[in-house]
Amino acid sequence: MSLKLFDTTLRDGEQAEGISFTVSDKIKIAHLLDELGIHYIEGGFVGANPKVVEFFEAMLKENLGQARMVAFGSTRRHQFQPADEPILQGIVKCGAPVACIFGKSWDFHVEHALKISLEENLILVEDSLKYLKDRLQEVFFDAEHFFDGYKRNKAYAIQVLQAAQRAGVDAIVLCDTNGGTLPFEVEQIVGEVKQMIATPLGIHAHNDAECAVANTLSAVKAGVSQIQGTINGYGERAGNANLCSILPALK
């Protein structure tokens, strides 16, 4: 199995307390990640602030050896269609060849945070991804809060993944956004998902229970092919899966 390394230090990592990268910093880090052998470098949430757009524009002039730049965003908001959604338009226009957008996979968040129907969420996931897939080289879907959603409403969480699959995405990333899932749960759930979803799977683990590295390795054992993490485990709250631990472990 071929594993693809996805670094989000410049996006998720920058949410760690005390970290703030300049555009120049981000360019230098991108080159170091490329030299390390990272396949995908997530550069930031397009539209979150002008610095992110400036960074993507600057990277159009840089030559990377193997790494591909990834623009991050979300599925469209329910009041917009894909062609009118500023978030999606920003991703398309920023120049990155790859997009990774997150969407809700936990029914609780759909009904209580987005305040829309479960069916409407499936529609916005599928058409947002399809819109990007028609315009970019590769598109990944981050299934936000997937493990929590799966444990509470397995059928709906899988329906969200199936919507992404119908859109033709290149990988579906299972996110332990709260960081509270344990390794034995990750291995079991990823194994079950692989029986229902044909699209390549990825893992995005947070470290709130100090299990992000273990959860990532458990997901690899169960068959995921994309590994998301950050250098030194930088990230919001307790941090993300630490690529500095994961890479030698995989080796």
Side-chain angles (χ1 to χ4, degrees):
M1 179 176 63
S2 175
L3 298 177
K4 297 296 184 181
L5 305 174
F6 184 113
D7 181 274
T8 181
T9 304
L10 301 180
R11 199 274 300 177
D12 234 346
E14 195 173 29
Q15 298 185 69
E17 184 177 359
I19 291 183
S20 178
F21 300 125
T22 66
V23 171
S24 177
D25 291 335
K26 296 181 83 166
I27 292 171
K28 293 175 183 176
I29 293 169
H31 281 289
L32 290 170
L33 293 171
D34 181 45
E35 293 170 13
L36 182 63
I38 298 298
H39 300 98
Y40 298 99
I41 300 172
E42 192 169 67
F45 195 137
V46 177
N49 61 68
K51 186 170 63 175
V52 174
V53 176
E54 183 182 349
F55 170 63
F56 278 111
E57 290 176 348
M59 288 305 298
L60 293 175
K61 304 171 186 176
E62 302 291 323
N63 293 317
L64 297 177
Q66 69 160 15
R68 313 192 82 193
M69 294 304 303
V70 182
F72 184 76
S74 68
T75 55
R76 68 173 174 87
R77 290 164 289 181
H78 68 92
Q79 65 267 38
F80 292 98
Q81 290 303 307
D84 304 318
E85 171 56 76
I87 295 172
L88 299 182
Q89 294 306 307
I91 291 173
V92 171
K93 294 175 182 177
C94 78
V98 184
C100 182
I101 65 171
F102 72 90
K104 302 296 186 186
S105 60
W106 186 358
D107 60 351
F108 176 82
H109 282 163
V110 174
E111 295 177 326
H112 296 278
L114 297 184
K115 299 186 185 300
I116 60 175
S117 70
L118 298 182
E119 180 60 33
E120 186 174 2
N121 183 58
L122 297 178
I123 294 170
L124 64 84
V125 166
E126 183 172 352
D127 66 15
S128 297
L129 292 166
K130 179 68 165 56
Y131 183 83
L132 293 175
K133 185 61 182 169
D134 288 342
R135 290 160 176 80
L136 299 175
Q137 295 176 18
E138 291 183 278
V139 177
F140 306 135
F141 176 60
D142 276 1
E144 188 183 41
H145 293 279
F146 176 76
F147 291 95
D148 293 302
Y150 187 88
K151 286 185 280 187
R152 288 157 178 78
N153 187 338
K154 180 185 300 186
Y156 184 71
I158 292 298
Q159 284 183 316
V160 174
L161 303 192
Q162 290 171 335
Q165 183 166 262
R166 288 193 299 271
V169 295
D170 297 278
I172 295 172
V173 183
L174 309 180
C175 300
D176 186 27
T177 312
N178 279 336
T181 307
L182 300 177
F184 74 90
E185 295 177 297
V186 169
E187 185 173 354
Q188 176 186 335
I189 291 171
V190 172
E192 291 174 2
V193 171
K194 278 190 68 67
Q195 300 302 311
M196 297 177 275
I197 299 296
T199 301
L201 299 177
I203 182 70
H204 179 107
H206 284 256
N207 202 38
D208 299 70
E210 284 290 335
C211 289
V213 170
N215 283 343
T216 300
L217 296 175
S218 294
V220 171
K221 181 182 178 184
V224 305
S225 56
Q226 184 186 113
I227 299 163
Q228 295 197 3
T230 65
I231 297 298
N232 293 326
Y234 296 138
E236 61 184 334
R237 305 188 318 274
N240 287 48
N242 186 356
L243 289 178
C244 295
S245 303
I246 292 168
L247 296 184
L250 290 175
K251 202 70 173 168

